[in-house]
């Protein structure tokens, strides 16, 4: 756990501090700068890694420090300019009574409690119940890509989201865009922590969510509270929402199980980014900070941009239009300026997404449950149910405070969040059950940005549910405080409300303890070694010790997940991931004719051209249709290595076998081109 604790602390520093420093230089108050630190940091990373990639400047700790310095100078220039421009001054006077120190400390306590629950629940279970502990291999195919990306960025120094095709396809380097600011930040942890790639991935994943979830959700709860309450009472909402976030199964734990962490981090940035954008309408000095935060959210994962846009759009339509801050025209002009600036900064995201759109038809994904009814779909959506939870939902001790919070949101006329919450409930229901007609098309289009995946959409719904639950608990705390205030001894005690909030946090801590076993089990759900297990890892490590293994390319079956040899043993597979964009003809010929090595001169020449010395076969393949003999009538593409497994190859010599894993060495005569 010492390594896990150290990586978590370092992650907190490099994720929050750079953005907070730059945000503060933009005149954001310290609490706001810290809250917006993560999206601001990711915004800088998204911009500078693309620039560095274009200029062949490596991404590392040194160049990251340069990034922060340059950004700080730009922020300083912005601050000087806004001080001289009266039109950018706040629309309303500063608060007469700012938030008190005890209230700030309770918010910090809520964030720390939420972070602690997430890290302990996720990592202790991983260490105690899985093979290899912190070096365990997730069986979900997204995990391989994330581990590969961390290793690639660390080794090559190329963190550009527009250059990820060089990783995905060893031979062609065909274009591929991937929003990888999360991986860029993680790559900085190598020299700072000394962890290997698998350890880093397994710890950095929950550590990053342990920071972004409580901070962002607490920020949204605070902003909602300010609709009716002063800063100190709103801080109660923030502290409890930040903490209770860690108890919800569908937030960190389901996404950790499915290894959809960059998506989860991107979505978790949306609330605080939306709050920053909305606040910039009243204080135009925050426009640049809002633009940079949007860029960071989008560059981490475009789904976060969608959630942010839904929240801000709902706020403008349902609240700002009727009670404008600077007048309707002024508000629209501010939002337009923020949008225009954001479009410039997220242009790599737009360009990359458009270039890969032909191969990624988002709305085409379908994960619907054929056995579910419309009513069941809405129950699952509203009550945060996913397949991994099974019988564990609805969790009434979380939904009851959420219902109280929903009542308060309606009473306080916070229509924007209520509308956004409802929109994503319907979208999630449509992802489970086809609602038909126009609703299916509209909500299917919105859900397409989340691959219409119920667990990804449930994450968004759970975000609003958790915020509402925090508000609901806060309402109860404020109610008790109001009753106690009738007694003289409590009336002038400034610590009374923070003390009651701490009591609420202790209750949340108890709920976290109750959910510890179940949530931990969910987080490590797909860690059994069904596809890549102990035998595979041992084979990678054995192969890494063989002559020329590190200086040549290993032919592998990408469907088997053997690309894990790259992050595990620093070997170079021909296919580092479960898919490869833009297959070359020679890749295809070799992949489907591995059994003809030594029998077909054309295949032998490809082996030499690609510098292949070893071949690894490690069934089974990931999907059912990738196993066995081809049968296109049944939709089975088959296993291209099946003939090799059954009959061998004239030009290959078996040099290793353990369980289902076999390693072959190419004959010297073939490698040298001798007859």
């Amino acid at each position: 756990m010492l390594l896990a604790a150290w990586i978590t602390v370092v992650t907190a520093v490099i994720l929050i501090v750079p953005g907070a420093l730059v945000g503060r230089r933009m005149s954001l108050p310290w609490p706001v700068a810290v809250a917006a630190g993560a999206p601001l940091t990711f915004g800088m990373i998204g911009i500078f890694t693309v620039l560095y990639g274009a200029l062949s400047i490596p991404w590392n700790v040194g160049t990251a420090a340069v990034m922060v310095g340059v950004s700080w100078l730009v922020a300083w220039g912005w601050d000087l300019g806004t001080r001289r421009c009266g039109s950018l001054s706040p629309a309303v006077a500063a608060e007469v009574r700012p938030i008190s120190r005890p209230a700030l400390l309770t918010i910090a306590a809520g964030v720390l409690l939420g972070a602690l629950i997430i890290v302990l629940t996720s990592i202790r279970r991983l260490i105690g119940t899985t093979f290899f502990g912190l070096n365990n291999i997730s069986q979900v195919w997204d995990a391989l890509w994330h581990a590969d990306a961390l290793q690639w960025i660390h080794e090559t120094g190329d963190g550009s989201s527009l250059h990820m095709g060089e990783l995905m396809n060893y031979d062609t380097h065909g274009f591929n865009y991937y929003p990888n600011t999360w991986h860029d930040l993680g790559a900085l942890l190598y020299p700072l922590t000394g962890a290997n790639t698998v350890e880093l991935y397994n710890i950095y994943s929950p550590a990053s969510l342990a920071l972004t979830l409580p901070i962002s959700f607490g920020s949204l709860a605070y902003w909602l509270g300010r609709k009716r309450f002063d800063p100190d009472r709103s801080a109660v909402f923030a502290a409890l929402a930040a903490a209770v976030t860690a108890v919800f199964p569908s937030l960190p734990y389901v996404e950790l199980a499915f290894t959809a962490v960059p998506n989860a981090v991107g979505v978790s940035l949306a609330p605080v980014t939306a709050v920053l954008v909305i606040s910039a309408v009243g204080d135009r000095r925050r426009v640049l900070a809002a633009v940079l935060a949007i860029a960071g959210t989008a560059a981490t994962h475009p789904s976060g941009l969608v959630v942010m846009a839904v929240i801000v759009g709902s706020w403008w339509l349902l609240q700002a239009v009727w009670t404008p801050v600077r007048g309707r025209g002024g508000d629209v002009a501010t939002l337009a300026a923020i949008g225009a600036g954001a479009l410039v900064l997220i242009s790599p995201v737009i360009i990359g997404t458009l270039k890969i759109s032909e191969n990624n038809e988002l709305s085409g994904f379908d994960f619907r449950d054929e056995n579910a009814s419309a009513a069941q779909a809405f129950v699952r959506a509203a009550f945060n149910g996913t397949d991994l939870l099974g019988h564990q939902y609805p969790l009434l001790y979380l939904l009851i405070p959420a219902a109280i919070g929903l009542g308060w949101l309606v009473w306080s006329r916070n229509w924007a969040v209520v509308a956004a919450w409802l929109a994503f409930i319907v979208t999630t229901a449509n992802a489970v059950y086809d609602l038909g007609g126009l609703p299916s098309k509209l909500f299917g289009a919105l859900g397409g940005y989340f691959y219409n995946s119920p667990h990804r959409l449930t994450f968004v719904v759970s975000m609003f549910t958790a915020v509402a639950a925090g508000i609901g608990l806060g309402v109860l705390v404020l109610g008790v405080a109001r009753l106690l205030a009738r007694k003289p001894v409590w009336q002038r005690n400034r610590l009374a409300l923070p003390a009651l909030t701490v009591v609420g946090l202790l209750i949340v801590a108890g709920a976290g303890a109750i959910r510890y076993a179940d949530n931990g089990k969910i987080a490590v759900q797909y860690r059994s070694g069904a596809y890549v297990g102990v035998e595979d890892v041992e084979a990678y490590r054995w192969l890494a010790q063989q002559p020329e293994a590190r200086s040549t390319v290993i032919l592998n079956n990408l469907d088997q997940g053997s690309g894990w040899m790259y992050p595990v043993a620093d070997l170079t597979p021909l296919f580092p991931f479960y898919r490869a964009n833009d297959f070359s003809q020679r890749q295809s010929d070799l992949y489907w004719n591995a059994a003809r090595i030594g029998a077909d001169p054309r295949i032998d020449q490809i082996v030499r051209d690609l510098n292949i010395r070893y071949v690894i076969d490690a069934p089974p393949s990931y999907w059912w249709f990738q196993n066995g003999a081809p049968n296109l009538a049944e939709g089975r593409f088959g296993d291209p290595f099946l003939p090799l497994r059954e009959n061998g190859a004239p030009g290959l010599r078996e040099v290793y076998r353990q369980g289902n894993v076999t390693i072959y060495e190419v004959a010297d005569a073939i490698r040298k081109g001798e007859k």
Side-chain angles (χ1 to χ4, degrees):
M1 284 298 294
L2 288 177
L3 179 62
W6 177 238
I7 291 177
T8 301
V9 170
V10 176
T11 298
V13 172
I14 66 175
L15 175 61
I16 304 299
V17 172
L21 291 175
V22 172
R24 178 56 181 158
R25 183 65 273 181
M26 291 178 183
S27 295
L28 295 179
W30 268 117
V32 177
V34 171
L40 293 177
T41 298
F42 281 129
M44 290 184 281
I45 293 174
I47 296 166
F48 274 82
T49 51
V50 171
L51 291 176
Y52 285 167
L55 299 174
S56 298
I57 298 174
W59 170 252
N60 52 44
V61 174
T63 54
V66 172
M67 170 196 76
V68 177
V70 172
S71 301
W72 191 90
L73 291 174
V74 172
W76 183 38
W78 170 264
D79 184 37
L80 291 176
T82 56
R83 291 176 185 272
R84 299 177 182 179
C85 186
S87 63
L88 297 179
S89 60
V92 294
E95 294 174 336
V96 176
R97 180 187 173 190
I99 188 170
S100 67
R101 183 171 295 178
L104 277 176
L105 290 176
T106 58
I107 294 177
V111 169
L112 290 175
L113 176 59
L116 187 63
I117 292 173
I118 292 172
V119 170
L120 288 178
T121 303
S122 305
I123 296 178
R124 286 194 66 188
R125 184 80 181 197
L126 179 67
I127 294 174
T129 64
T130 62
F131 71 90
F132 292 145
L134 290 177
N135 283 283
N136 177 266
I137 304 295
S138 170
Q139 305 304 298
V140 181
W141 80 333
D142 286 22
L144 175 54
W145 174 253
H146 301 319
D148 277 351
L150 287 168
Q151 176 96 352
W152 168 264
I153 295 167
H154 168 60
E155 284 190 346
T156 66
D158 190 348
S160 174
S161 58
L162 301 177
H163 293 172
M164 297 309 288
E166 297 180 21
L167 166 63
M168 182 169 278
N169 195 316
Y170 170 85
D171 188 28
T172 67
H173 291 180
F175 178 83
N176 185 63
Y177 163 79
Y178 192 84
N180 63 342
T181 56
W182 181 83
H183 308 84
D184 290 328
L185 183 75
L188 300 179
L189 293 170
Y190 281 93
L192 300 176
T193 65
N196 64 48
T197 299
V198 181
E199 291 173 332
L200 189 62
Y201 170 73
N202 283 331
I203 300 171
Y204 174 54
S205 294
S208 54
L209 282 173
L211 296 164
T212 59
L213 286 169
I215 293 175
S216 188
F217 294 8
S219 300
L220 180 59
Y222 179 84
W223 174 73
L224 292 168
R226 291 295 289 118
K227 176 84 171 179
R228 292 284 182 172
F229 294 145
D230 60 38
D232 284 7
R233 286 190 288 177
S234 300
V236 177
F237 287 1
L240 292 169
V244 80
T245 293
V247 184
F248 277 76
S250 296
L251 286 172
Y253 311 109
V254 170
E255 297 310 283
L256 287 171
F258 283 113
T259 69
V261 176
N263 169 80
V265 171
V267 171
S268 69
L269 298 176
V272 69
T273 300
V275 170
L276 187 58
V277 170
I278 292 169
S279 71
V281 175
D283 186 352
R284 289 174 174 169
R285 295 174 301 175
R286 299 185 178 186
V287 164
L288 183 59
V291 169
L292 185 59
I294 291 174
T297 301
T300 304
H301 205 282
S303 57
L305 178 64
V306 175
V307 175
M308 185 278 302
V310 170
I311 295 173
V312 174
S314 299
W315 170 79
W316 184 77
L317 285 171
L318 300 176
Q319 295 178 215
V321 166
W322 310 104
T323 55
V325 179
R326 293 177 176 269
R328 292 187 178 91
D331 290 355
V332 170
T334 304
L335 290 173
I338 294 172
L343 283 175
V344 174
L345 294 189
I346 68 172
S347 56
V349 179
I350 298 172
I351 293 170
T353 303
L354 290 176
K355 288 191 71 172
I356 66 171
S357 60
E358 292 183 1
N359 297 324
N360 293 272
E361 184 62 36
L362 297 180
S363 60
F365 287 86
D366 189 349
F367 297 96
R368 290 190 171 107
D369 185 349
E370 296 179 356
N371 298 318
S373 65
Q376 290 172 329
F378 274 101
V379 167
R380 284 178 59 175
F383 296 156
N384 312 150
T386 64
D387 290 338
L388 283 186
L389 291 182
H391 67 282
Q392 296 178 31
Y393 77 95
L395 299 175
L396 294 180
Y397 56 88
L398 295 177
L399 293 177
I400 289 173
I404 296 172
L406 175 60
W408 187 90
L409 289 173
V410 173
W411 171 79
S412 62
R413 299 183 180 180
N414 275 295
W415 305 119
V417 167
V418 174
W421 191 358
L422 180 60
F424 279 104
I425 287 175
V426 178
T427 303
T428 306
N430 185 65
V432 176
Y433 176 87
D434 188 354
L435 299 179
L438 184 60
S440 180
K441 294 180 180 179
L442 291 177
F443 292 106
L446 176 61
Y449 292 99
F450 306 84
Y451 304 101
N452 275 308
S453 170
H455 79 83
R456 291 183 185 236
L457 288 164
T458 299
F459 180 90
V460 183
V461 176
S462 297
M463 174 184 78
F464 294 111
T465 308
V467 170
I471 291 174
L473 292 173
V475 168
L476 296 177
V477 168
L478 292 176
V480 173
R482 187 173 182 180
L483 290 174
L484 293 177
R486 297 175 182 176
K487 299 181 179 182
V489 70
W490 290 92
Q491 287 179 355
R492 297 182 180 180
N493 191 335
R494 294 183 59 193
L495 297 179
L497 187 57
L500 289 172
T501 306
V502 170
V503 173
L505 292 176
L506 291 175
I507 294 174
V508 173
I514 292 172
R515 285 292 313 170
Y516 171 78
D518 288 334
N519 285 343
K521 183 178 180 181
I522 290 171
V524 299
Q525 183 77 17
Y526 300 114
R527 297 278 183 166
S528 63
Y531 301 106
V532 181
V534 175
E535 293 174 347
D536 301 84
V537 173
E538 290 178 347
Y540 305 154
R541 292 172 177 170
W542 178 88
L543 181 56
Q545 305 302 317
Q546 304 312 302
E548 296 187 346
R550 294 186 183 275
S551 60
T552 57
V553 177
I554 289 88
L555 172 60
N556 65 313
N557 183 341
L558 75 170
D559 298 329
Q560 296 170 351
S562 48
W564 274 104
M565 71 176 73
Y566 176 51
V568 168
D570 198 22
L571 297 168
T572 304
L574 184 60
F575 302 106
F577 185 48
Y578 285 99
R579 60 182 290 260
N581 59 325
D582 195 21
F583 250 62
S584 68
Q585 185 59 51
R586 65 179 183 176
Q587 276 181 311
S588 180
D589 289 344
L590 179 59
Y591 181 63
W592 288 97
N593 294 280
R596 294 187 58 76
I597 295 176
D600 187 332
R602 186 173 58 89
I603 301 300
D604 295 347
Q605 185 61 50
I606 295 174
V607 169
R608 289 190 290 274
D609 291 344
L610 289 174
N611 192 28
I612 289 172
R613 177 165 181 172
Y614 297 98
V615 179
I616 186 169
D617 179 32
S621 297
Y622 198 86
W623 303 108
W624 68 269
F625 57 82
Q626 297 166 337
N627 289 286
N631 189 333
L632 296 181
E634 297 180 356
R636 186 187 297 274
F637 293 98
D639 183 348
F641 280 24
L642 182 61
L644 171 63
R645 193 175 312 130
E646 293 179 342
N647 305 312
L652 296 179
R653 177 174 64 92
E654 182 180 313
V655 293
Y656 179 95
R657 179 186 290 272
Q658 184 171 340
N660 289 334
V661 184
T662 307
I663 298 175
Y664 305 88
E665 183 177 12
V666 178
D668 288 343
I670 294 175
R671 292 175 51 242
K672 296 176 181 179
E674 300 174 354
K675 294 184 179 180

